[in-house]
Amino acid sequence: MLGRVTQTTDSAAAAGTPQGLPGRRRVHRAWIVAAVTFVTIIGGAAFNSLPGLLIDPLHTEFGWSRGEIGLAVSIDMALYGLTAPFAAALMDRFGIRKVVVVALSAVAAGALASVWMTASWQLMLYWGLLVGLGTGSMALAFSATVTNRWFVARRGLVTGILTAAGASGQLVFLPLCAWIVEEHGWRPASVTVALAAVVVVPFVWFLMRDHPADVGLAPYGGPFVEKPAPATGAATRTVRVLLDAARTGPFWLLAGSFAICGASTNGLIRTHFVPSAHDHGMAITAAASLLAVIGVFDIIGTVFSGWLTDRFDARRLLAVYYALRGVSLLFLPMLMAPAVHPPMVFFIVFYGLDWVATVPPTLALCREQYGEDSAIVFGWVLASHQVGAALVAFLGGVARDATGSYDMVWYASGALCATAALMALMVRRRREPADAG
């Protein structure tokens, strides 16, 4: 993230910035805030590496069915999504720093408490409730809020970079947690996730700022804007924005397609790929390493998608992304084997490039359609993403318990992706400026 801006007294005044440093080149503070946001999302997303790794160990130790474990994961994913729009409004009311610090603390508490659980309801409480609320408060609505406040130029690129943070966390923590689970058991892995969340807190508290005006700067690429007064009635505003957006067709098309996006990524691959590969004789560490490789190419694909979103029609980009994802899922059951072969590697690379490439164009369409309310609207669209993920996380486990195979889940998800491609093309372009919320 190397964005540099030269500020002189004259250029600062022209931009409406109250402060300038004559003759000095420096990194705009927006890029520092974006970097802190990136690290925060990595720390908060560490937990997302665990569920797929722990399904078999928890099933073995406690005798819980995969459906029960999948239900806990689905609660986490649903709350992740349903919390996001309220978190965006709470950030308007209390500030980004306070909300994110509380969220990181909730993730750490849930991950640490799970070490002492003995019943499946505790799994649902710790993994589902606490971690779901915490990670939901640092969901993509957090990225949208930071991007909207701190950037005018390069929004698509920054959205892609921040979206890739989740994949970066997966890249860092999946191999590590897989090794810990195999060598030391699942409890040390859970403690590792808790520590990752705690370590990020000082970065947020000391380096994050709520608004460019807090440090006397204009947003990157735009004029100086006074910091608005804290918004009151956060919950009321969040619900009102939902009701207003729900009266429009684009909202349902975006929410529906993004629900399928969640079903075919977090709910399907992130939760069930490792146990499915293990069913075919593949070692857990090998399967987890493949997921980590997805994370590598996810970063590339998402940043590139942000670059494309700044230049091309977001609707067509979404249609292409969903169509290609659906085709790849239809081939996946034929690629499962005890060892990693070149066709599986090709799938991993291909799927990784497409994993969350849908986020920048979806956020761009929300911004186009809903203006100043776009972060909250995107929070609700993200909620649908996580509801879709939650359903497949649960139903995928049920299908495995009932049939002994994940094959039908892969095929059904591939067909759903084709539907999402058509929905993206149906979103009408809004030519007039979006009304302020």
Side-chain angles (χ1 to χ4, degrees):
M1 279 181 279
L2 298 177
R4 292 184 175 274
V5 56
T6 303
Q7 287 191 323
T8 64
T9 303
D10 292 337
S11 63
T17 308
Q19 296 181 2
L21 297 176
R24 181 182 176 185
R25 293 177 62 85
R26 61 190 179 93
V27 176
H28 193 287
R29 184 62 178 266
W31 294 101
I32 297 175
V33 171
V36 174
T37 304
F38 188 91
V39 173
T40 302
I41 295 172
I42 288 177
F47 177 82
N48 291 330
S49 302
L50 279 183
L53 301 177
L54 301 191
I55 288 178
D56 285 336
L58 293 178
H59 174 70
T60 300
E61 178 173 339
F62 297 108
W64 301 333
S65 71
R66 291 174 175 81
E68 284 181 293
I69 300 169
L71 179 59
V73 177
S74 72
I75 292 172
D76 163 65
M77 290 182 174
L79 285 177
Y80 177 100
L82 294 172
T83 302
F86 292 96
L90 287 173
M91 288 176 187
D92 288 343
R93 175 67 178 86
F94 298 105
I96 296 173
R97 286 196 302 171
K98 293 179 181 178
V99 172
V100 172
V101 166
V102 171
L104 287 167
S105 301
V107 172
L112 188 60
S114 67
V115 171
W116 294 283
M117 65 185 177
T118 57
S120 60
W121 67 265
Q122 293 170 322
L123 178 70
M124 295 172 193
L125 174 63
Y126 303 146
W127 278 23
L129 182 63
L130 281 178
V131 176
L133 291 174
T135 54
S137 297
M138 295 178 293
L140 293 173
F142 170 37
S143 301
T145 301
V146 170
T147 304
N148 288 349
R149 290 186 185 182
W150 282 90
F151 291 87
V152 173
R154 302 288 185 256
R155 278 179 171 172
L157 176 62
V158 175
T159 299
I161 292 171
L162 295 183
T163 302
S168 300
Q170 176 176 297
L171 171 63
V172 171
F173 288 100
L174 255 174
L176 174 63
C177 289
W179 176 80
I180 292 174
V181 169
E182 283 210 332
E183 296 295 325
H184 304 287
W186 65 268
R187 288 179 176 84
S190 192
V191 172
T192 300
V193 167
L195 292 175
V198 171
V199 166
V200 178
V201 170
F203 290 93
V204 175
W205 190 254
F206 291 109
L207 296 177
M208 176 67 70
R209 292 297 180 268
D210 294 329
H211 195 278
D214 288 341
V215 288
L217 291 175
Y220 182 80
F224 180 79
V225 178
E226 293 288 347
K227 183 178 180 178
T232 57
T236 301
R237 181 189 174 203
T238 301
V239 174
R240 176 183 58 78
V241 169
L242 171 63
L243 294 176
D244 290 343
R247 297 188 183 98
T248 67
F251 173 80
W252 293 106
L253 292 170
L254 291 170
S257 60
F258 220 43
I260 294 171
C261 178
S264 58
T265 53
N266 292 352
L268 184 66
I269 297 293
R270 178 170 286 164
T271 305
H272 296 296
F273 178 82
V274 171
S276 177
H278 191 55
D279 283 347
H280 289 79
M282 187 179 294
I284 290 177
T285 50
S289 296
L290 289 176
L291 277 186
V293 173
I294 285 180
V296 174
F297 288 94
D298 182 12
I299 297 170
I300 299 170
T302 306
V303 173
F304 184 54
S305 177
W307 183 86
L308 291 174
T309 300
D310 286 333
R311 291 162 174 78
F312 298 102
D313 186 349
R315 296 154 192 76
R316 294 182 180 179
L317 289 176
L318 282 177
V320 171
Y321 296 159
Y322 286 127
L324 292 176
R325 181 183 300 175
V327 171
S328 67
L329 286 173
L330 294 177
F331 283 97
L332 181 57
M334 294 178 280
L335 305 179
M336 291 292 186
V340 179
H341 297 295
M344 175 61 82
V345 174
F346 178 80
F347 168 84
I348 292 297
V349 172
F350 187 87
Y351 201 86
L353 291 171
D354 191 78
W355 179 274
V356 284
T358 55
V359 173
T362 301
L363 180 54
L365 290 175
C366 287
R367 191 179 295 121
E368 173 190 307
Q369 297 286 334
Y370 304 105
E372 293 182 0
D373 287 332
S374 61
I376 296 177
V377 172
F378 182 71
W380 284 113
V381 171
L382 177 63
S384 71
H385 179 282
Q386 293 307 114
V387 169
L391 286 172
V392 172
F394 172 60
L395 294 176
V398 171
R400 169 62 177 79
D401 288 334
T403 67
S405 170
Y406 285 104
D407 287 359
M408 290 306 300
V409 182
W410 305 125
Y411 294 138
S413 296
L416 284 174
C417 287
T419 303
L422 294 175
M423 295 173 74
L425 291 174
M426 292 173 63
V427 178
R428 291 180 296 178
R429 182 182 296 276
R430 180 167 182 167
R431 300 187 182 279
E432 70 274 13
D435 296 333

